[in-house]
Amino acid sequence: MRVLLTGGAGYIGAHTAIALVEAGHEVLIADDMSGTSPEAVRRIERLTGGAVPTLAADLRDESALREFVREHAPVHAVVHLAGLKAVGESMAEPVRYYDVNLGTTITLLKVMASEGIRTLVFSSSATVYGTPDELPLTEQSPTGIDLANPYGKTKRIIEEILSDAAAADPELRAVSLRYFNPVGAHPSGLIGEDPHGIPNNLMPFVSRVAIGSLPSVSVFGDDYDTPDGTGLRDYIHVTDLAAGHVAALEQAEPGYDVFNLGTGEPVSVLELIAAFERASGREIPRQIAPRRPGDVAASYADPSKAGEKLGWRTTLTIEEACRDYWNWQSNNPKGYAGA
Ligand code: UFG
């Protein structure tokens, strides 16, 4: 298939681009480059050994997007990852989050309709569940419980839009993938996560401490009702996550469906720090800090639906994720900017 990959120069997008090409698909990238660098596309091309046509534009620009799709017709499917993704930022700038995340999706759906593209895979998030009332989380678990941040709400609203669009168009195949916590990097060390400024998420933060650009990591709460008192999450290696997109795309059926992409294995903050120390051979200074507002004690997947319907399952452990993240970090201490 020829696949339009929005957000294809980002962290998950770059790994998904490589996985798609390795599975025999052709990839076109559309990305405004706001959260990444054109260097990511050059490295995708290096790893895949071919040119990847790229539109660097705001994807709310309907005519630019349509022109790009027409130029590369026929486009058979879209994998839609473009969007803003920082929970805290979304609380400070809610209107921008609704504008970018919803506007991009609506524009894309209009272009898909006018150009006859009928298959869409969307990057949703486990954040749509809000505060879990049962664990592990299945796709039937209720969504939106105490969901306070606009970022998560945009994911939930987009899921509703796709469900409605599929109900109205019997030929549309739409799939939402609810990611748990993506970590790790491409084993080549050429592609990885490149957050601007101080990272919000745990593994990039810990990695910056290991490389020496941040002094220590704060553990946000050690009094949760969990085995060691720190938060439990389901950390999924980004190459496993990328493979989930390929499986969802190739097996999408008419209608709307949703899958959890996680390992099913809860890992605590302290366990992740210990695994990163082993992988990097560096000591990671840490201190216990107050709970971070909005955090849940535990969130992890029941990934069995994706196993049964898509034949997809994770293959990599937290140890391998730390090893690959560290390999990327130590080869690229300044991320893509150091290239
Ligand atoms: N944590 C720390 N110190 C840090 C950063 C994080 O202790 O410096 C802890 C958090 O309290 C939490 C765990 O590490 O217990 C993971 O936190 P992350 O920020 O890495 O990830 P979250 O689970 O908060 O959020 C992630 C994504 C969101 C997504 C959500 C879905 O970043 O985009 O998963 O559950 F919405």
Side-chain angles (χ1 to χ4, degrees), residues 17-65:
I18 292 164
L20 285 166
V21 173
E22 284 175 350
H25 302 291
E26 261 181 78
V27 172
L28 312 169
I29 287 176
D31 196 309
D32 71 357
M33 303 289 164
S34 61
T36 183
S37 153
E39 176 62 17
V41 177
R42 287 193 283 275
R43 296 201 182 177
I44 294 166
E45 290 177 328
R46 194 165 139 196
L47 285 165
T48 58
V52 177
T54 300
L55 171 69
D58 186 323
L59 305 189
R60 289 166 296 178
D61 182 343
E62 190 174 331
S63 53
L65 190 59

Side-chain angles (χ1 to χ4, degrees), residues 252-277:
E253 291 171 358
Y256 175 70
D257 212 348
V258 48
F259 294 96
N260 282 342
L261 295 185
T263 66
E265 300 287 337
V267 170
S268 76
V269 174
L270 294 178
E271 286 170 336
L272 185 143
I273 294 172
F276 211 93
E277 285 186 324

Side-chain angles (χ1 to χ4, degrees), residues 84-88 90-91 97 101 122-133 135 137-138 141-159 176-182 201 233-234 258-262 292-296 298-301:
L84 300 174
K85 60 173 185 177
V87 172
S90 80
M91 294 169 89
Y97 269 67
N101 289 4
F122 168 63
S123 65
S124 188
S125 167
T127 197
V128 299
Y129 295 115
T131 304
D133 69 348
L135 288 166
L137 289 154
T138 74
S141 298
T143 58
I145 302 176
D146 297 331
L147 179 51
N149 70 83
Y151 159 75
K153 289 183 192 170
T154 66
K155 294 293 183 191
R156 189 154 176 260
I157 294 166
I158 293 168
E159 287 198 5
S176 290
L177 301 178
R178 291 178 181 159
Y179 308 158
F180 281 73
N181 290 59
N201 299 119
R233 293 292 184 276
D234 184 334
V258 48
F259 294 96
N260 282 342
L261 295 185
R292 185 171 62 179
D295 274 357
V296 298
S299 168
Y300 52 93

Side-chain angles (χ1 to χ4, degrees), residues 74-100:
V75 173
H76 305 105
V78 176
V79 176
H80 177 37
L81 314 185
L84 300 174
K85 60 173 185 177
V87 172
E89 190 181 64
S90 80
M91 294 169 89
E93 300 175 71
V95 176
R96 184 161 79 97
Y97 269 67
Y98 288 115
D99 186 4
V100 171

